[in-house]
Amino acid sequence: MLPNRPFTILVAEDDEEDRLLLDEAFMQNGLFDCGRFVEDGDQVIDYLMNCIGVEAVNPLPSLVIMDINMPLRNGLETLQAIRADHHLKNIPVLILTSSRQEVEKAYRLGANSYLVKPIQFTELIQMISDVTTYWRDTVNLPYNEY
């Protein structure tokens, strides 16, 4: 549960159709304007770096949902960079990808969850509902303001 802080999700997804589907799934779950979308790992790091310090321009996300296969810096490399930064390391990072091949590596690098993209849109809506219920309404997250 987040004290006096809006629930925001930073989504890293290079596929435009998948970004649109995720945004629609957020809206179907009543999560209007909570998603911040970027297209690659470098943009994730840039966004997060703009969340810290006195001149922060982005809200620190409640969690990050990230694909693995992205250009420039892939999801696993980005996860490593997040976990290596003392300001960012406690942000929950969920891997949402189409393959089960990197499960062990993702957890070893510090992923909080590894989700496989569902084929049916109704399943995606349910997955987003489950993620939201768990990460927004159930767990207590560390709250850091930078």
Side-chain angles (χ1 to χ4, degrees):
M1 293 181 260
L2 301 172
N4 301 321
R5 183 171 150 202
F7 185 71
T8 58
I9 303 171
L10 177 60
V11 179
E13 174 58 66
D14 63 313
D15 184 272
E16 183 178 4
E17 186 175 322
D18 285 349
R19 285 193 308 272
L20 292 171
L21 289 170
L22 282 163
D23 194 37
E24 181 61 28
F26 290 156
M27 288 190 281
Q28 292 289 322
N29 279 286
L31 301 171
F32 303 102
D33 198 37
C34 83
R36 309 292 187 267
F37 291 87
V38 297
E39 298 178 19
D40 61 58
D42 285 349
Q43 290 178 5
V44 170
I45 299 303
D46 289 345
Y47 181 97
L48 293 173
M49 288 294 124
N50 284 309
C51 294
I52 56 179
V54 293
E55 296 187 24
V57 295
N58 297 324
L60 189 68
S62 308
L63 62 110
V64 175
I65 298 177
M66 187 164 43
D67 190 11
I68 288 180
N69 299 312
M70 297 184 296
L72 302 180
R73 186 188 311 220
N74 72 35
L76 297 177
E77 294 166 335
T78 306
L79 174 61
Q80 268 186 303
I82 292 169
R83 292 299 181 241
D85 187 288
H86 71 279
H87 292 296
L88 306 175
K89 67 182 179 182
N90 290 328
I91 299 171
V93 177
L94 287 63
I95 301 297
L96 178 62
T97 191
S98 56
S99 168
R100 297 181 193 279
Q101 292 179 335
E102 302 285 356
V103 174
E104 288 182 34
K105 187 172 185 180
Y107 280 112
R108 198 169 46 253
L109 293 174
N112 296 91
S113 294
Y114 191 100
L115 306 166
V116 176
K117 293 176 185 175
I119 295 172
Q120 299 296 320
F121 182 63
T122 55
E123 293 171 348
L124 180 62
I125 293 170
Q126 184 60 53
M127 179 183 282
I128 295 301
S129 174
D130 295 343
V131 164
T132 302
T133 299
Y134 183 74
W135 289 104
R136 183 188 64 189
D137 302 332
T138 305
V139 301
N140 288 297
L141 297 172
Y143 180 65
N144 297 316
E145 195 151 332
Y146 302 103

